[in-house]
Amino acid sequence: MAPEAHTDKVFDVELTALRDKLLDMGGKVEASIAASVRSLIERDSSLAERVRTQDRDINRLEVEIDDMCRRILALRQPAASDLRFITTALKIVVDLERMGDLSVNIADRALQLNQSPPVKPFHDLVTLADLSEAQLKKALDSFVEKDVEKAEEVIQGDDLLDALYQKLFNELLTYMMEDSRVIRRATNVMFAAKQLERFGDHAINLAEMVVYMVRGTDVRHPHSRDIQQQG
Amino acid sequence: MTPAQEAATRREAETSQASGVPAVVAPSPGPAAGSPPPHVAPSTADREQPKLQIRALRAWYGQTLALKGVDLVVPPRSVMAAIGPSGCGKSTFLRCLNRMHELLPGARCDGTLLLDGEDLLGRQVDPVVLRRRVGMVFQRPNPFPTMSVRDNVAAGLKLNGIRANHQEIVERTLRQAALWEEVKDRLDESALGLSGGQQQRLCIARALAVQPEVLLMDEPASALDPIATAKVEDLIHELKEHYTIVIVTHNMQQAARVSDQTAFFYLGELVEVGPTEKIFTNPDKPQTNDYVTGKFG
Amino acid sequence: MKSLRWRKFVDRFWTVASGAGVVLALVPLLSLLWLVLSQGTANLSLSFFTHLPAPVGESGGGVGNGIVGTFLLVAIASAIALPVGIGAGVFLAEKGDGRVGDAIRFVTEVLSGVPSIVIGIVAYGLVVERMKRFSALAGGLALALLMVPTLARSTEEFIRLVPGALREASLALGVPKWKTSLRVVLRTAAGGIVTAVLLAVARAAGETAPLLFTSLNNQYWNLEPDQPTASLTVQIFNYAISPYEDWHHKAWTAALVLLLLVGLLNLLARVLSRNRMEAAR
């Protein structure tokens, strides 16, 4: 049976700490997007404010994780699976931090919208938000469980998310064309929806890195690499 | 393409913004293990006949089977590193390649060992002559203590009665070993006056003087300090322009720095062999991955 | 605190005791040297080295033939012992791990334990009785029998001391095994072997008993191997047991000469081995 632990126990501790920190950051991002959407739907401005301040924690974690990765690279010369894990960590930390920023953008839209009378409820927005959150959660789970199938499900799930965004976009456009007084408010909602769509894109990035980490094959930008692959 | 890759393709076609993340170079599913890695000058290596072909090589110490059937191909003018934990058989393997293994009492090896297509383990092959085609450098520098630097380098020529311009060969091999500048003014002084790193390069020059085709190196830098090690590694990089090199090392980072291909041995078996880059980023066998990441050994 | 004082006392006690032991050991050596020097220098002159012994009563004369005789005997002994002893040593080191090697080692051990006078008798039986005369050859053979065991053992030791790595290096260059043994290993061990030879020669030069009834003695110069030969040691013996006062003095002087000769050989051996040590460093 292959041993799980490195002979050098300190290295094991460092890798575990890195993983824990990544998951911590992921959890905070999950909480952040959920809170920001709720602050918009439930018109809760104080919640939106909290989302903004809590983003500082997410940013701080990005710096800390980068530092840990650099340290491990310098001192441990990781190879093979360890190397893929570290390079994955360096990549997904960027996506997670951006997702945190996207949540803050949604919170800002909420703050804007809460100053005006409520706009008609958009169930699709809630659905879009649920889907984005689910994508992130599944991507993080695939990372923890080293589950390539789950990661591939995330990558495929992006189609649905894009379709939902399109539907919402068209609805809002129609709404704006019907009544010009709602344009400002509808545009804000549209911006929020866009953040959710981009949120989904970042979840895809995360999932692609998980595939690389586990399988060792890079599945990103296959279209751009067609020429090389055909050669 | 996998479904994931299909989805990614479509997504990529939609998004207008370029993802700012550069693609990681991944080993493309291409030619077999013999292809030269990008940092070597594009050679005809994968179209020439392999220098060494090893099939079902086994080695015994008395009744104990130390090497349990190795199949390996070494392309010409490349460096093959053999790694593995202590007692895995990599040194035994190396010593079979120049038939030094069988010099130990009770030791023998069998199988097929082809050098340019000629079976070295055949009955009609004289091991003494073979060792002039397949040279060896050892872990601890071992210059002959009673001889000067010059005599040491020429020792292989003198002892074998090879008629040639010894002085010219001495200078040439010392230059090849990157030692000429350091010893050209003290060629007739004792070889023992040199530093450890210099002595090892002297031993390399001595091995090169008999003009082998293959050079075997048994942990050549393990007795040296880091700078001397770096010099020897740099030397290996230059030597592979002309020689085929097989190096055994217990230092994985050295194998990663120096070799084109890496073979991982464990408990007398060859577990995996492949391009060095692949072995150290994405090996096929989990055992290889565990060893390379330091989970055992 | 008490234990510290006790330890210091014990330490000093043993330092003094071992110092006293050294002095005690040196006393006989120094007194011997003193005695020989004081008694022997009286008659020491150039003619002592170059003249034949004078008859009783006459002054002068020397041990010239004894010195030459000793050289002759040692030369004959070396001619026999060196090839046999070194050869045996090489064999034991290279191929001596089997029954044959064990047998040879056993024989050399036994031989080295045999008293020198018994060796003399053996040489008497082997050579003197056959040739029906005393001869330098017999004396040389007796000395050779004394030299062979130590030479064989020392040669084996020095060859075994050559690191296996050197042997491997030579083999890896495609040098056959026999050539490796001869031209690499033996050459590396040569320094030590030379030292061993010098010490064996020094010992042989100082032997008396085996020469008493093999090479006997000779009043005149002799370089023929089949004739009895004078030697320093037998000369000293003859002078010492004689009833003549004059000859007793000459015995002391001859002893001094012998001591100088042996001392020189030992010194040479030491200098050579030290040079080797420094070269190796």
Side-chain angles (χ1 to χ4, degrees), chain B residues 95 128 131-132 142 159-160, chain C residues 165 168 171-174 179:
Chain B
R95 277 161 187 261
V128 166
R131 289 181 205 128
R132 289 177 215 162
N142 50 14
L159 290 168
N160 283 324
Chain C
E168 280 199 326
L171 290 169
L173 287 169
K179 235 190 227 185

Side-chain angles (χ1 to χ4, degrees), chain A residues 143-160:
Chain A
F143 173 73
V144 169
E145 295 157 19
K146 298 201 177 74
D147 188 341
V148 172
E149 272 148 26
K150 221 174 237 187
E152 286 183 342
E153 282 171 29
V154 173
I155 296 169
Q156 285 166 276
D158 193 56
D159 289 343
L160 182 58

Side-chain angles (χ1 to χ4, degrees), chain A residues 129-196:
Chain A
D130 286 341
L131 198 53
S132 297
E133 288 168 45
Q135 286 282 76
L136 173 62
K137 183 172 191 312
K138 197 185 268 187
L140 286 173
D141 283 345
S142 76
F143 173 73
V144 169
E145 295 157 19
K146 298 201 177 74
D147 188 341
V148 172
E149 272 148 26
K150 221 174 237 187
E152 286 183 342
E153 282 171 29
V154 173
I155 296 169
Q156 285 166 276
D158 193 56
D159 289 343
L160 182 58
L161 206 136
D162 287 346
L164 204 53
Y165 169 69
Q166 268 314 115
K167 183 160 172 276
L168 185 55
F169 183 82
N170 292 334
E171 257 190 66
L172 285 165
L173 220 51
T174 318
Y175 191 42
M176 282 192 272
M177 287 194 286
E178 284 171 2
D179 183 356
S180 59
R181 289 172 300 161
V182 302
I183 288 180
R184 179 180 292 277
R185 282 170 282 161
T187 316
N188 274 317
V189 174
M190 207 182 281
F191 280 157
K194 185 66 187 167
Q195 306 311 301
L196 288 170

Side-chain angles (χ1 to χ4, degrees), chain B residues 95-108:
Chain B
R95 277 161 187 261
C96 285
L97 296 182
N98 69 347
R99 292 182 68 170
M100 296 268 300
H101 173 76
E102 60 200 44
L103 292 175
L104 292 166
R108 63 190 165 94

Side-chain angles (χ1 to χ4, degrees), chain B residues 99-121:
Chain B
R99 292 182 68 170
M100 296 268 300
H101 173 76
E102 60 200 44
L103 292 175
L104 292 166
R108 63 190 165 94
C109 49
D110 70 24
T112 311
L113 174 57
L114 302 179
L115 174 64
D116 286 337
E118 185 192 334
D119 189 2
L120 301 179
L121 298 177

